[in-house]
Amino acid sequence: MQESRLFKIVYYLLDKGQATAPELAEKFEVSVRTIYRDIDALSGAGIPIYTEAGRNGGIHLMNNFVLDKIVLSEKEKQEILTALQSINFTQNSDNSQTLQKLSALFHLSSENWLEVDFSRWGNKGTDKEKFESLKVAIIHQKCVKITYANSYGTISERIVQPLKMSYKSMSWYLQAYCTKKQDYRMFKLTRIIDLEVLTDGFQKSSLPKLDQSPHETYNTIVLCFPQNMSYRVYDEFDRTQISKQENGDLIVSVEMPEDEWLIGYLLSFGAQVDIIAPVYLRDIIAKQAKKIYEKYQS
């Protein structure tokens, strides 16, 4: 117990710079006397820790105690912190204490236990290259020129100021300020056909809360799938959006944008989906399916 607390005191001082004995006593739920004993124990173990009296005094570690042991550049430190924060985010867990320790130490080794493959099937890694390029642009605040295909099939060239990458519904998105639209936008990574990181920099601003695509209309779509489509239903929809019927059918109620992508998405299920609502979508799908049939019959 004491050994664990000693390490935590060191981590805390690395992060905060200094602390008072009462502050440490309150944080670690021990007496001030116990804290002073811990300081003596750390000093005896060779940790360069000392106390300083006076108004601005407190408990300190000697300057550059850890930094002298680090052979990483500032860029490499930022890369490590960015990676750690990404892991913390994607696992949806609170690893703030671990991040605090690692960001303070920087010399802990870790096993190569995690790999994220951004490429699609049959892809040679261009999605990964796009992600890496955008990450660099975000960290170093560089403008990016992108060629983008929106959900209506329109392809356009934009200059954007990249601010954040986010993962939603099995896809990566870039949140950025679009200089063409003079507004903040979200761009789906897989729809970025080409990109170039420019030398032009920008001043990072606070990112407002963005919807997935603020200019698309979202309606509630209700779908019915047979039980043999469970593998795909649970792959692509959240459990809270799915209800199972007594006969095994799966009813999905989900808010989705009504655009060309939705039509193609519903057609991808073939005859294994029944559109319950909105009813007019049934006619749109039927007409599109007829066009496909006639195309391959000619």
Side-chain angles (χ1 to χ4, degrees), residues 43-296:
S43 181
I47 304 298
I49 191 169
Y50 66 98
T51 60
E52 189 176 52
R55 183 177 179 182
N56 297 318
I59 300 169
H60 307 256
L61 288 168
M62 287 184 64
N63 291 338
N64 302 321
F65 162 55
V66 173
L67 296 181
D68 284 344
K69 296 180 174 64
I70 294 178
V71 293
L72 298 174
S73 67
E74 291 300 319
K75 179 181 177 182
E76 288 169 327
K77 294 175 191 176
Q78 182 62 60
E79 293 274 352
I80 291 171
L81 283 176
T82 300
L84 291 172
Q85 290 165 350
S86 299
I87 293 171
N88 192 47
F89 174 79
T90 54
Q91 286 185 333
N92 193 29
S93 60
D94 184 11
N95 291 323
S96 56
Q97 289 187 352
T98 303
L99 283 170
Q100 182 186 60
K101 295 173 184 178
L102 293 178
S103 63
L105 294 174
F106 276 111
H107 65 283
L108 294 179
S109 61
S110 60
E111 298 296 328
N112 186 19
W113 61 273
L114 177 66
E115 178 180 352
V116 180
D117 189 350
F118 296 98
S119 60
R120 288 162 280 187
W121 295 112
N123 181 274
K124 298 299 182 181
T126 56
D127 287 331
K128 182 177 180 180
E129 292 173 6
K130 282 190 285 187
F131 187 92
E132 291 298 320
S133 296
L134 290 171
K135 182 188 72 173
V136 170
I138 291 169
I139 292 173
H140 298 288
Q141 296 176 217
K142 297 295 183 182
C143 293
V144 177
K145 180 168 69 174
I146 64 172
T147 303
Y148 189 72
N150 67 16
S151 56
Y152 298 98
T154 303
I155 298 176
S156 61
E157 193 173 88
R158 318 273 189 98
I159 303 289
V160 302
Q161 298 173 357
L163 299 172
K164 182 184 289 187
M165 295 290 291
S166 60
Y167 186 79
K168 182 178 177 64
S169 187
M170 298 183 292
S171 296
W172 280 98
Y173 292 86
L174 169 67
Q175 299 184 40
Y177 181 82
C178 177
T179 58
K180 180 178 180 180
K181 299 294 185 180
Q182 295 289 294
D183 201 359
Y184 295 92
R185 292 288 189 270
M186 291 187 73
F187 302 94
K188 194 171 185 179
L189 186 66
T190 52
R191 293 180 187 168
I192 298 177
I193 301 171
D194 195 16
L195 70 85
E196 177 187 355
V197 179
L198 306 177
T199 57
D200 299 337
F202 64 93
Q203 291 295 320
K204 192 171 184 178
S205 57
S206 298
L207 182 67
K209 186 176 180 180
L210 297 177
D211 293 328
Q212 174 62 37
S213 183
H215 300 290
E216 290 179 341
T217 301
Y218 284 73
N219 287 328
T220 300
I221 312 296
V222 183
L223 310 169
C224 179
F225 297 91
Q227 188 173 7
N228 64 354
M229 290 297 289
S230 296
Y231 73 96
R232 188 169 171 189
V233 172
Y234 286 104
D235 260 355
E236 302 181 25
F237 300 100
D238 189 83
R239 285 185 60 186
T240 60
Q241 300 168 331
I242 306 168
S243 61
K244 190 171 184 178
Q245 307 301 296
E246 290 186 4
N247 65 353
D249 286 352
L250 300 171
I251 303 296
V252 174
S253 180
V254 58
E255 289 188 355
M256 303 179 80
E258 291 190 28
D259 54 21
E260 290 297 322
W261 176 87
L262 177 63
I263 304 306
Y265 179 69
L266 294 176
L267 283 168
S268 72
F269 289 99
Q272 297 296 311
V273 61
D274 185 14
I275 302 171
I276 299 175
V279 176
Y280 60 79
L281 267 182
R282 300 169 68 97
D283 187 50
I284 295 174
I285 296 297
K287 289 180 179 178
Q288 191 65 29
K290 183 179 180 181
K291 288 181 182 179
I292 295 172
Y293 173 78
E294 292 173 347
K295 177 179 180 178
Y296 291 103

